[in-house]
Amino acid sequence: MTVIHLLSGATGFIGGAVVLELLRDPESEVYVLVRGQDPAQARRRLCNALTAAATAYDATPLWKTGEHRVHPVHGDVETALWGLDLPRALPGGVRYIWHCAATLHYELHRAERIDSVNHHGARHAIDLARRLGAQLNHMSTAYIAPSRDDGVLVEQPAVEQDAAPATPYHHAKIRAERAVVESEIVWRILRPSFVVGHARTHAATHHAGYYAMARRLTIAARRHLVPEGARAILPVPPDATINLVPVDTVARAAVAVGTLGETGTVYHLANAEPPTSRSVLEALFAWTDLPRPEFGPPGEARLPGPAGALQRYLPFFRVNQLDLDHTRRVTGSSAMATPLAAADLLAYLDCYKATLQAV
C-alpha cells in the first residue's frame, strides 16, 4: 500500500538524509517542497542536492532505483500553506508531513528572517497538516529541551526560560514547538543534537555545528600568534559530553519514530554514547595545530588568541546527557549508540577539509 509523504528541507543536511531513508520502503512516495525561481529550477536544485547526499552517504544505488518516487513541489515554507495550490499540488492521502526546513543562523541582526523560517514556517506546516489531515513530524533541536536537576535534557516540550544560550535561533525553535504542541493536529517533535557526517564515510553535505567550530578555530589561528607554551584553559568539565551524532543515525531514528512512534511525543535524535567534551575539544585543537587545551572552572578560564573563537560554543560542552527513553522505545536500545573515537572525530574534519578543497 502506497504511503505518501510531504517533506520540506530536502536540500538541507538532515532533510536529504531523511528522504533517502524513506526510499528504503518501496511503498513510499515522497513529495518534496523546493524553493526556486520556477518549477524547473526547483527540480534541478532537488536532484543536485539528493545526488550529492547519496554520493556522500554511499547510497547512490538506493537513489538511482528510488529517484522516480521523489516528486518536487515548487513552494516556500515562509508562505501560507507553503505556497501550495491545494488540492492540485498534491495527491490525496498524504499521511506524513516532515518539516525539516530551517535556517541555522543565530545572529541578532537576522532575527526577523530566523523567526519567519523557523517559527512561522512551522505554523504554516501546522495549517497544512490540518488541511490535509496528515500527521506532522516537526524537526526541532535538542538544545531547547528542558533540563532536570541533574542537568539531563529531557524529552518534554520546550519552555522559553530554559533556552540556553538565548539566541534568535533557539527562541524561534521554542515558539515553533509551542505552536505544534498547542495545535489540535496529530504531531511528533523530533530533536537532533549536533549532527555530523555519515558514520561510515564521514562525509557531510552541510557544515554547521562541529564543522563551524573547526572553521572558526582555524580562521582565528591564522589571525593570532600563540606564544610558545601558552595553552588555553577552557571552563568546561572534561568528562561532560557534547552530543555529536552521525546523520545516518539521525535519519534512521527519525523515520522510525516518525512512522511508528507514539504521537503527541518528543523524541531526541541523539547519540546514546556521545564523546566527552575533552575528546572533542582536543580533536579540534589538534586538527588546527594548536596546543592541547587544559580544563578548569570558570574562574580559571583563559581563552588566549584562537581559543576565544569557541566562546559561544562552550555551553554545549557542559551538558551531562540527553534523555533518549522515548526514542529507544521505538528504535531499541542499541540503535542510538554510535561511539566516536578520536580517529572518527578527526576523520569528519578531514572530510570537511577535502570538501572545501574540491569546491
Side-chain angles (χ1 to χ4, degrees):
M1 180 178 177
T2 300
V3 180
I4 300 175
H5 305 264
L6 171 64
L7 184 141
S8 70
T11 58
F13 190 14
I14 296 175
V18 170
V19 170
L20 293 174
E21 190 65 27
L22 289 171
L23 290 180
R24 296 188 187 280
D25 176 5
E27 301 299 322
S28 289
E29 295 283 336
V30 188
Y31 288 77
V32 178
L33 188 80
V34 195
R35 289 183 295 112
Q37 295 177 348
D38 53 51
Q41 189 203 36
R43 179 181 291 274
R44 287 194 299 274
R45 285 189 68 233
L46 177 63
C47 183
N48 290 341
L50 291 179
T51 298
T55 301
Y57 310 147
D58 197 20
T60 299
L62 174 66
W63 170 236
K64 286 184 175 180
T65 58
E67 182 179 0
H68 68 283
R69 292 186 283 118
V70 177
H71 313 280
V73 181
H74 189 220
D76 191 328
V77 297
E78 293 185 73
T79 60
L81 298 177
W82 289 356
L84 300 179
D85 181 13
L86 299 178
R88 289 187 294 178
L90 296 168
V94 174
R95 186 180 301 181
Y96 301 104
I97 295 176
W98 304 80
H99 181 36
C100 301
T103 175
L104 300 182
H105 290 298
Y106 59 87
E107 302 89 347
L108 188 60
H109 72 275
R110 302 179 190 267
E112 185 175 348
R113 176 79 201 293
I114 293 167
D115 195 64
S116 177
V117 176
N118 292 353
H119 170 210
H120 289 284
R123 287 190 174 275
H124 298 321
I126 292 167
D127 292 340
L128 191 58
R130 183 184 298 114
R131 176 74 71 89
L132 297 175
Q135 299 180 22
L136 174 63
N137 291 319
H138 171 64
M139 196 70 68
S140 186
T141 175
Y143 293 98
I144 60 172
S147 61
R148 293 195 313 235
D149 291 341
D150 61 1
V152 173
L153 302 184
V154 296
E155 293 170 300
Q156 298 296 332
V159 180
E160 187 77 27
Q161 59 264 31
D162 285 338
T167 70
Y169 171 83
H170 294 90
H171 287 307
K173 284 292 192 177
I174 289 170
R175 288 191 285 270
E177 279 201 15
R178 297 310 309 174
V180 171
V181 171
E182 293 168 5
S183 72
E184 72 282 10
I185 64 169
V186 178
W187 59 267
R188 301 176 190 83
I189 291 173
L190 316 182
R191 288 194 189 132
S193 54
F194 278 99
V195 184
V196 293
H198 191 277
R200 186 177 67 259
T201 70
H202 295 112
T205 61
H206 195 275
H207 299 106
Y210 182 50
Y211 305 102
M213 297 178 205
R215 181 168 61 250
R216 285 175 174 269
L217 199 59
T218 300
I219 293 171
R222 292 171 182 164
R223 294 176 177 171
H224 300 276
L225 290 176
V226 181
E228 186 174 350
R231 294 175 67 177
I233 300 177
L234 305 177
V236 170
D239 295 329
T241 61
I242 180 166
N243 203 289
L244 305 187
V245 59
V247 67
D248 48 313
T249 301
V250 169
R252 282 194 302 271
V255 171
V257 302
T259 56
L260 303 174
E262 185 177 351
T263 60
T265 304
V266 178
Y267 298 92
H268 283 162
L269 310 181
N271 195 343
E273 296 185 18
T276 65
S277 297
R278 178 192 294 275
S279 64
V280 173
L281 286 164
E282 287 184 348
L284 285 166
F285 276 68
W287 192 77
T288 320
D289 293 325
L290 291 171
R292 178 180 295 181
E294 298 177 359
F295 301 88
E300 297 179 10
R302 185 172 70 238
L303 301 175
L310 294 181
Q311 180 71 55
R312 70 168 297 270
Y313 294 102
L314 294 181
F316 298 107
F317 287 90
R318 303 183 186 119
V319 175
N320 289 338
Q321 191 55 275
L322 293 168
D323 175 28
L324 286 162
D325 286 352
H326 294 168
T327 301
R328 287 190 287 200
R329 285 187 197 129
V330 180
T331 65
S333 58
S334 63
M336 303 309 297
T338 311
L340 300 177
D344 295 303
L345 297 173
L346 293 172
Y348 286 119
L349 298 179
D350 287 341
C351 276
Y352 168 50
K353 184 177 181 179
T355 300
L356 293 181
Q357 292 172 337
V359 173

